Structure formats: C-alpha cells, structure tokens
Amino acid sequence: MMTFSMRFRRTAPVVLLLFGFAAALPYVAFAQSTQAPAQQQKPADDSAGPDTDSGPIVLKKKKEGEDANTPPPAPAAPAEPKIKNPNNETYSIRVDVPIVNLDVNVILDKTHQFVPGLKAGNFQVLEDGVPQTITSVRMAQTPITAVMLLEFAANSYYFIRDMQNASYSFFNTLKPDDYIAVITYDLKTHILTDFTNNKQVVGDAISSLMIPGFSDTNLFDALYETLDRLSRIEGRKYIVLIGTGRDTFSRITLDKILAKVKATPNVTIFTIGTGALVRELADSRGMMGPVTRLDYLQAENQMKTFAQMTGGLSFNPMFQGALPDIFSQINDSIRNEYVLTYRPTNNKNDGTYRRIQVKLVDNEGHPLQMQDEKHKPLKYSVIARDGYRAKQEVE
C-alpha cells in the first residue's frame, strides 16, 4: 500500500523540475531581449566597403480619392514652334470709317415754324462741293443742355433791362429735364450756377443780377472760355448769348474766336441783341456819331456770324413783346430737328475743315417748293452748321 509520503517522494522531482523551468523563463526572455540588437548588427567586412545607411524610404502621399494603382501622369508635351500664318488662316483688320451726324432745322421764314415730315430723299448734302450719300434721317426731340451767357456790365440801364427780360423769357420755356448753366461777363466771366435742372436755382441766379461791377464787355474772352468748358461735355449743347455783341479789349481776337467756334463740335449758338430800341431812338435824335454807329453795326454782325456758323438763329428785337415768339422759335429749333447721317467721301483723317451745305430737293432733284393751303409759295430756311473739322490721325 502506497502512502501519501511515498507519492510525494515520487512526484517531487517532477514538481521541482517544472518549478525550475518556470523560474528560468524570465531569465531566458531577458537574455534574448538584450542579445537581439547585437545579432542585428552586420559583421565587419573590409572587402564590402564602408557601411552605408540609406535611411527610411519615404513614399509619396496619395491624393485624396486617388487609387493606389493609378499610374503617374505622363510628362508634358514639348511646346510647338511658332510659325507665321498657321494653317494658311486669313485675318481681318477693322478700320474706323468716319461718320458725320448733322443736325438740321427747316423753319418757315414767315411763321418761324418747324417743317416736319421730310424724308431722306428731300435732303442733299454737299461737303466741299461734293454730293454725299445720306444713310439715315431721323427726327429728334430731346431735353436741352444750354448755357445762358449774359452781358452784365455797367454801360447802360436799358441794356441790362433788355438782358433780364430776355433771360426770364427763356427761363419760362425750360422743361424739367433741361440742364441750364448761367454765366455773366463784363471784364471777366462769372459762373452764377453750374448745370442744373432745378428751375429755382436758375431763377435765383438771374434775380441776383442787381449791380454790375465793370463797364467792359470782353465778349470774345467770355465766349472762348464757355466753348472750352462745353467741349468737355458730351452730346449736343447750346449757348444762348444775350448782349450787345460789343467787345472792348479782349485778349482773344475775332479771328481766334471764329476759329474756336469752328473747332468746337456739337455746339449751337443763339444770339439775342439788347438795346435795339434805345439805340434807334438815340440815332434818330443825332446822339450817335458815325464811329459809335459803326461799332454797334459790327457788334450785330458778329452776333449773326456766331449763330450762322453753328446752325443757330440771331435776333435783334426792338420790343419786349417779341421775346415770347423768339424763344418759341428757338425752342422749336432746339427740340425738333432732323439728324442726318452720312459717310463722307473724303475719309482722310487730316484735320482739315470741311464745308457743308444742306439743300432741300424734290424727287427729281430740283429745289423743293413749299406751298400753303392756298397754293401760295412758302419761303423756308435750312439751318445747319457750315462745316466741321476732320479728326487727326492721332485722335
């Protein structure tokens, strides 16, 4: 019979062996961990050359959404050589052909009424004597942009009164969309108000003319400065010049102001003379000598010349009662007009002045005859600029 002590003696060596093996495991693991780096080192070999270490390999990061199997992009193709006229293509060059827009008014001489209903075939345009082909004719009725250029000098109370009456008569014909500036002149020019469509401002500017400062009337200087300012404004402009037309000692001569009028496009001048009645009374009483009479006759001629050169009208009213009819005619001329368009046969940009003449013809090319309801002939006037200056090549 085997007792407990006997079992123990038989199993003891096995237990001790297992216990010793378990105790040796940590030591073995520690020994392996300490020897692993030594085993990874390469043996020294002089024939293999010096040790090199390429370091870690860096892989290019894939873009988001890019497949790992996507091949790299192909290299860019070499640039094609530039050759003249590839594929035998043809190219066109745009050349600006000058176009002339001509504002024309046709007014009956007796009633000063605008003549409507004319067609393109009724107009004949001559440029330097050469007939031009009109491409289009249209009616225009637009708001106006005008300057009231007023002579306000200490020379005569009657001249100032006539100027104020004419200014108020023109002021009463203004419409809400009209832009008006008021400028006076004596020795120098004075801008009372810049362009505005406020009638109250224009009325206040005219009412402020109470006491003039100088007796000089430098008309040429004032008109030159006004034309220079208007040349910076686009579109059609008008000057309503109200004064005697006399010039005392302007720095600008008559020839220079006439050249300025010719060189300023899209400006029409209307002139209204002042002091006609008082001059007529003074002349009838022998109070005007030949020099003074000649001076005023020259002044009237200058006013008419400014108007005719720009396609405007000139008036020299004797009485105040004529002013409403005068400004009614001016309004008809300004707000109702024909706009003729043509391409000049002389298309050179040489800066020369081209003279224009506009006539009315019938279907057969003869001068147009107008008749009233009683078949009586009616006289009419064709009002247009007498010419224009061609552009320079550098413009």
Side-chain angles (χ1 to χ4, degrees), residues 26 33 43 54 63 91 93 103-104 111 118 156 207 229 234 254 260 293 343 352 376:
S33 62
S54 60
K63 295 182 179 179
Y91 296 89
I93 300 177
D103 298 333
V104 179
T111 62
L118 298 176
S156 173
S207 301
R229 293 189 179 100
E234 297 182 356
L254 178 60
K260 182 65 174 179
R293 185 184 301 108
R343 299 180 184 275
T352 59
K376 292 183 179 181

Side-chain angles (χ1 to χ4, degrees), residues 315-327:
F315 304 92
N316 197 32
M318 189 75 65
F319 302 100
Q320 182 181 351
L323 293 176
D325 182 63
I326 289 175
F327 285 106

Side-chain angles (χ1 to χ4, degrees), residues 29-322:
F30 174 78
Q32 290 179 353
S33 62
T34 56
Q35 292 179 1
Q39 292 178 0
Q40 292 176 0
Q41 297 179 356
K42 295 181 180 180
D45 187 1
D46 295 339
S47 63
D51 294 339
T52 59
D53 186 7
S54 60
I57 299 176
V58 179
L59 297 178
K60 185 178 180 181
K61 185 178 180 180
K62 298 291 182 179
K63 295 182 179 179
E64 186 177 356
E66 184 178 0
D67 190 4
N69 297 326
T70 302
E80 296 183 359
K82 297 182 179 180
I83 60 175
K84 296 182 179 180
N85 193 15
N87 301 326
N88 294 324
E89 295 180 355
T90 58
Y91 296 89
S92 60
I93 300 177
R94 184 176 65 87
V95 180
D96 292 331
V97 179
I99 297 177
V100 177
N101 292 320
L102 185 62
D103 298 333
V104 179
N105 287 288
V106 182
I107 298 176
L108 298 177
D109 292 344
K110 185 176 181 180
T111 62
H112 306 302
Q113 293 179 344
F114 177 78
V115 179
L118 298 176
K119 307 298 181 182
N122 298 127
F123 292 94
Q124 184 183 43
V125 178
L126 302 176
E127 183 177 303
D128 291 336
V130 179
Q132 306 295 313
T133 301
I134 300 175
T135 58
S136 67
V137 174
R138 60 183 177 86
M139 287 281 297
Q141 188 174 17
T142 58
I144 63 173
T145 301
V147 174
M148 298 178 64
L149 185 59
L150 311 177
E151 179 186 299
F152 185 59
N155 43 28
S156 173
Y157 163 77
Y158 299 100
F159 296 165
I160 296 177
R161 185 190 62 181
D162 288 350
M163 179 272 295
Q164 290 177 331
N165 292 334
S167 301
Y168 280 114
S169 297
F170 179 68
F171 168 77
N172 292 328
T173 64
L174 298 179
K175 295 185 178 181
D177 294 333
D178 296 334
Y179 277 83
I180 305 297
V182 181
I183 300 177
T184 62
Y185 68 93
D186 47 18
L187 182 64
K188 297 181 180 180
T189 57
H190 309 276
I191 301 177
L192 300 186
T193 177
D194 205 343
F195 284 101
T196 178
N197 61 348
N198 190 335
K199 292 188 64 175
Q200 183 65 37
V201 175
V202 178
D204 293 343
I206 299 174
S207 301
S208 65
L209 300 177
M210 300 299 294
I211 302 176
F214 300 92
S215 60
D216 303 293
T217 55
N218 293 346
L219 170 61
F220 299 161
D221 288 347
L223 184 58
Y224 192 97
E225 293 178 13
T226 303
L227 290 171
D228 189 52
R229 293 189 179 100
L230 288 178
S231 63
R232 307 165 195 170
I233 302 175
E234 297 182 356
R236 168 62 58 181
K237 289 88 60 176
Y238 301 92
I239 296 178
V240 180
L241 174 58
I242 304 176
T244 61
R246 296 178 63 249
D247 185 273
T248 51
F249 50 90
S250 289
R251 294 172 297 175
I252 303 298
T253 62
L254 178 60
D255 292 337
K256 289 184 178 180
I257 188 59
L258 293 179
K260 182 65 174 179
V261 171
K262 287 183 177 181
T264 306
N266 300 325
V267 175
T268 303
I269 301 175
F270 295 89
T271 62
I272 301 174
T274 57
L277 178 61
V278 67
R279 288 190 285 110
E280 187 70 20
L281 294 175
D283 191 21
S284 63
R285 297 174 183 177
M287 301 175 62
M288 291 181 62
V291 176
T292 305
R293 185 184 301 108
L294 181 62
D295 187 19
Y296 280 104
L297 289 177
Q298 181 180 356
E300 291 182 11
N301 184 63
Q302 291 171 171
M303 299 276 275
K304 291 180 180 178
T305 303
F306 296 149
Q308 292 174 355
M309 289 179 59
T310 59
L313 300 173
S314 181
F315 304 92
N316 197 32
M318 189 75 65
F319 302 100
Q320 182 181 351

